[in-house]
């Protein structure tokens, strides 16, 4: 479990069980953001002092998911980073997606219907069996936002590769609590404002170089240049050779904030966070007489009275697909679990 000295890096309100919506930043992130906002207010420094945070965050994310840092591109949102990937899918392709997939990893393919891109949906649990010789792309969330279901990553990427299909994985609900090896994933995207606890406006895409070669960098601007200081004006096109060619000009402060958040994750250690988050989630399920699910995201069907009791007890959750969704992260404690179980069942753990 995560020790109290590590948990002191954060300052959550008791009962915040909603990291699936957004993660809480460590104190260091908030302090850093206050500093840059002060700098911005008076023009105390050049933007060039904020910009290096982008590469620092890129390296920290690359280490977290076990890919080379120069295969990681940055942007503001998952759907935005997926747009050029989806545009690279050939006309008439068949894209396989879980039916309950969060739409940022679905709409980017559906908008290509006019050129014959066909999207086929199946339940997340059936995805592996549905991959066959007709599949050109398999796109799925590693952890489903609506249910907390954890996809069998290695099996899915292996099956996709065996049938010559591209794998596109949305790690937004996974990276930060689930140890991930993305080295076999063709494209792995991740919004950083949830389990990575960064400000909204920072997102990553790790693209395998063989796949990158097929993708047109449709959002390229000066920041995608090989040397962005030499890319302000005029032709020729001079994009970065690495995945930076897919970079979208950074929202500076989001990236300045992302670095201390990712550093706090690194300090806590992904294995320890995984153990901690899953232990809390499983303890919550045990309190409701349910078997462990080994996911940091838990959903339960509860009646309106229980929902009201949860809110009255100060437990912050979300309702998704008709169920209450609770998420357990590094800053949560057994006391949060106890409060939630008591509110739902009327009896303490
Ligand atoms: C699985 C998943 N992906 C992506 C996002 C956010 O997508 P975007 O960055 O396109 O807003 C969410 C937000 O809830 C999500 O749950």
């Amino acid at each position: 479990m995560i020790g109290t000295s590590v948990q002191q890096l954060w300052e959550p309100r008791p009962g915040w069980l909603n990291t699936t919506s957004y993660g809480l930043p460590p104190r260091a992130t908030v302090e850093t953001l206050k500093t840059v906002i002060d700098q911005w207010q008076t023009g105390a420094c050049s933007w060039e002092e904020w910009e290096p945070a982008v590469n620092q965050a890129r390296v920290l994310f690359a280490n977290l998911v076990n890919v080379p840092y120069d295969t990681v591109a940055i942007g503001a949102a998952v759907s935005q980073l997926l747009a050029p990937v989806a545009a690279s899918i050939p006309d008439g392709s068949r894209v396989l997606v879980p039916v309950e997939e969060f739409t940022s990893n679905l709409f980017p393919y559906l908008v290509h219907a006019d050129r014959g891109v066909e999207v086929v949906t199946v339940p997340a649990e059936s995805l592996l069996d549905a991959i066959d010789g007709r599949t050109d792309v398999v796109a799925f969330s590693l952890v489903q936002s609506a249910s907390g279901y954890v996809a069998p990553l290695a099996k899915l990427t292996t099956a996709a590769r065996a049938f010559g299909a591209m794998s596109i994985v949305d790690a937004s609900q996974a990276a930060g609590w689930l140890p991930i090896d993305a080295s076999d994933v063709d494209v792995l995207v991740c919004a950083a404002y949830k389990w990575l606890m960064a400000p909204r406006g920072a997102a990553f895409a790790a693209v395998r170089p063989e796949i990158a070669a097929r993708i047109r960098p449709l959002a390229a601007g000066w920041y995608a240049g090989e040397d962005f200081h030499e890319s302000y004006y005029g032709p020729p096109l001079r994009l970065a050779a690495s995945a930076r060619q897919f970079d979208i000009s950074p929202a500076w402060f989001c990236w300045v904030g992302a670095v201390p958040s990712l550093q706090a994750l690194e300090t806590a250690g992904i294995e320890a966070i995984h153990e901690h988050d899953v232990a809390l989630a499983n303890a919550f399920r045990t309190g409701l007489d349910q078997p462990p699910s080994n996911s940091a995201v838990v959903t339960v069907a509860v009646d309106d009275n229980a929902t009201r009791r949860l809110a009255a007890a100060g437990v912050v959750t979300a309702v998704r697909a008709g169920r209450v969704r609770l998420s357990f992260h590094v800053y949560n404690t057994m006391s949060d679990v106890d409060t939630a179980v008591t509110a739902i069942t009327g009896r303490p753990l």
Side-chain angles (χ1 to χ4, degrees):
M1 295 288 270
I2 296 289
T4 44
S5 62
V6 171
Q7 282 196 317
Q8 276 163 12
L9 300 174
W10 285 268
E11 216 172 301
R13 58 175 270 190
W16 175 264
L17 293 176
N18 204 16
T19 301
T20 324
S21 285
Y22 70 87
L24 305 184
R27 272 201 200 92
T29 299
V30 176
E31 290 312 316
T32 307
L33 284 172
K34 283 181 185 161
T35 304
V36 292
I37 285 170
D38 284 348
Q39 291 170 336
W40 178 43
Q41 184 172 26
T42 60
C45 69
S46 147
W47 61 270
E48 276 122 319
E49 288 192 30
W50 304 321
E51 189 278 332
V54 174
N55 264 345
Q56 289 165 24
R58 195 191 313 267
V59 170
L60 286 159
F61 180 77
N63 292 343
L64 185 68
V65 300
N66 193 34
V67 297
Y69 82 93
D70 61 356
T71 64
V72 176
I74 64 99
V78 162
S79 56
Q80 179 197 47
L81 285 164
L82 283 178
V85 180
S88 78
I89 296 169
D91 294 359
S93 292
R94 190 176 160 102
V95 183
L96 190 59
V97 189
V99 68
E100 62 271 57
E101 186 70 15
F102 190 81
T103 48
S104 286
N105 189 25
L106 172 66
F107 286 178
Y109 319 112
L110 287 175
V111 298
H112 290 280
D114 63 319
R115 56 183 190 83
V117 173
E118 183 197 4
V119 176
V120 177
T121 57
V122 297
E125 283 89 346
S126 311
L127 196 65
L128 186 59
D129 290 337
I131 301 172
D132 60 23
R134 293 168 301 168
T135 311
D136 299 299
V137 177
V138 186
F140 60 95
S141 284
L142 181 49
V143 174
Q144 280 296 331
S145 149
S147 64
Y149 169 77
V150 182
L153 180 65
K155 285 185 183 158
L156 286 164
T157 50
T158 304
R161 184 78 47 92
F163 285 107
M166 170 159 60
S167 55
I168 304 178
V169 178
D170 182 346
S172 303
Q173 298 291 7
W177 76 266
L178 188 68
I180 299 174
D181 182 350
S183 46
D184 280 335
V185 178
D186 289 330
V187 179
L188 179 119
V189 280
C190 183
Y193 70 98
K194 296 177 183 288
W195 300 86
L196 303 182
M197 303 167 290
R200 177 61 147 143
F204 301 96
V207 187
R208 283 202 317 115
E210 297 86 325
I211 299 294
R214 296 190 222 153
I215 303 171
R216 191 186 291 262
L218 290 172
W222 68 279
Y223 197 71
E226 182 66 64
D227 176 351
F228 60 75
H229 287 298
E230 298 295 329
S231 304
Y232 296 152
Y233 303 111
L237 184 64
R238 43 197 185 282
L239 297 184
S242 70
R244 281 209 308 104
Q245 66 186 284
F246 304 113
D247 277 12
I248 295 155
S249 303
W252 295 314
F253 304 151
C254 298
W255 292 99
V256 169
V259 172
S261 292
L262 287 160
Q263 283 169 337
L265 261 177
E266 203 176 57
T267 303
I270 191 66
E271 299 290 346
I273 295 175
H274 177 236
E275 193 187 327
H276 175 89
D277 291 11
V278 166
L280 293 185
N282 284 347
F284 170 76
R285 290 178 61 93
T286 304
L288 298 186
D289 299 324
Q290 292 184 10
S293 66
N294 298 330
S295 174
V297 181
V298 175
T299 67
V300 280
V302 294
D303 59 27
D304 288 350
N305 285 337
T307 312
R308 270 193 289 277
R309 286 198 302 270
L310 277 169
V315 180
V316 185
T317 62
V319 177
R320 289 288 179 279
R323 295 167 72 87
V324 173
R325 182 184 68 185
L326 303 94
S327 358
F328 300 87
H329 204 12
V330 56
Y331 34 68
N332 292 119
T333 63
M334 274 307 289
S335 162
D336 295 322
V337 174
D338 198 10
T339 310
V341 169
T342 306
I344 292 173
T345 63
R347 58 183 152 85
L349 264 185

